[in-house]
Amino acid sequence: MSLLERYIFRRALTFSLGSLGSLVLIVWIVQALQRVDIVRSSASAAGNMFWIATMLIPNLLAGVVPFAVVIGAVQALNSLNADSERAVIAASGARNSVVIRPIVALGLSGAALILVISHLIGPMAQGAFFNGLRAVNADAITLFLTPGRFEEIQDKFVVGVGDVRGSTISNLFISDQRDPTTDLAYFAKEAQIAERDDDSYLLLRDGQVHRRTVADGAISVIQFQTYAFDLATLRPEGDGDWIRNSERSTLDLLRADATDKSVQNNPSAFAKELTQRFSDWLYPLAFALWALVVAGRPRTNRQGAGPAMALGLSGALGLKALSFVVLALIDHDTSYQILAYLLPLASIASSAVFLWADVDVAGSRLLTGLGDGLRWIGQLFRRDPAHSGAR
């Protein structure tokens, strides 16, 4: 890159890193606060909370990097116009590629980061996160529950024990009202914390499950010899796999054995996870090109920045929302996998066409008219009521 291109890249990268830090911090705090209830009964578990919540950061990064790219790129391009630098670049006869290349480089940097997180760091962090939850819940049950008392381990998840001897529990009661449609109550004469593949599980023996439907009050009773909970979320074994697909490496997903029960029971979950990992990296590049479309043209100070940031973010949010819909559809039909790749590729292609044709999207008549209309409405509200009444 030339000196000017490096200058633009550094400026866009600085804005993107600032946006990335802010977005990750906000989302991380929200996610961490949602899990505070799992450590209320344990002082030692509370000490592990920071480590557990830290394991959320890689996946949070992968989710917000595309938006940090579009925010940083639009801010950098708007600042170039505000300082008249973009107009000087155009007036000097420099090609548009002088501005395009550093922004594309920013998008490719974001894409590379997402690839590393999706295929290397993310699965390991997810495994560490759920293992941390398992350890916390195992400690809360075996060390900190008082025999004869009921403790709320999670919101609307209450556990009571008759006696605890090491990892063996007698006379266990569990009330699970986390599902707003169904109330569950588990009774077991004996339970034990067991290890499987370095993970911790709560195995219930010789008991009953009482299931009550909230809507009509209907109750069903199921007798069981053994019942298992994953201590990462205290979720019954029948509700999902022991190892989540997000914890599996990409190589494990690609080499999944067709005879594996988890593959046979839910093959679309494997297809969905792989599709997400192999398509997410396209979005930073798509958003970088979209930022160039809405904010890359030279403008004078009189013209102002226009609706570039609003248009950039709305387009990015719209595209990402469509990607979530497509991923949800893959749960029902794996043929939608191709659509998950076509969405970002179509965005990249259309943005490239707009840039090649030098289309002024932000200055189009539709958006200009909409902006004028909003300004007119704003002026109506700002008028002096007394003056308006006098007229």
Side-chain angles (χ1 to χ4, degrees), residues 216-266:
D216 56 10
I219 298 176
S220 60
V221 180
I222 303 171
Q223 192 88 17
F224 64 82
Q225 291 300 315
T226 59
Y227 208 91
F229 281 86
D230 180 357
L231 284 174
T233 55
L234 294 176
R235 185 180 63 180
E237 178 185 15
D239 288 357
D241 305 326
W242 288 111
I243 301 177
R244 294 160 183 78
N245 289 332
S246 60
E247 299 178 64
R248 300 176 187 264
S249 69
T250 301
L251 191 60
D252 288 342
L253 292 172
L254 289 171
R255 297 190 309 187
D257 188 355
T259 61
D260 189 339
K261 286 186 178 180
S262 59
V263 178
Q264 294 175 344
N265 294 336
N266 196 6

Side-chain angles (χ1 to χ4, degrees), residues 30 35 47 83 89 100 151 157 188 196 202 258 310 348 353 382:
V30 172
R35 292 169 171 83
D83 297 336
I89 292 172
I100 293 175
E151 298 285 351
F157 192 95
R196 178 193 280 185
L202 179 64
I348 290 171
V353 170
R382 285 198 300 268

Side-chain angles (χ1 to χ4, degrees), residues 62-63 65-66 69 104 106-119 274-288 320 340-341 344-345 348:
V65 160
V69 167
V104 170
L106 177 68
L108 290 174
S109 300
L113 178 60
I114 288 182
L115 279 173
V116 173
I117 292 174
S118 297
H119 298 287
L274 281 172
T275 301
Q276 185 169 5
R277 292 190 190 185
F278 282 106
S279 63
D280 276 355
W281 71 274
L282 293 169
Y283 286 94
L285 182 57
F287 289 3
K320 200 61 178 174
Y341 297 100
L345 289 174
I348 290 171

Side-chain angles (χ1 to χ4, degrees), residues 25-39:
L25 182 61
I26 292 170
V27 178
W28 180 75
I29 289 174
V30 172
Q31 293 290 324
L33 289 177
Q34 288 178 351
R35 292 169 171 83
V36 167
D37 59 343
I38 69 173
V39 297

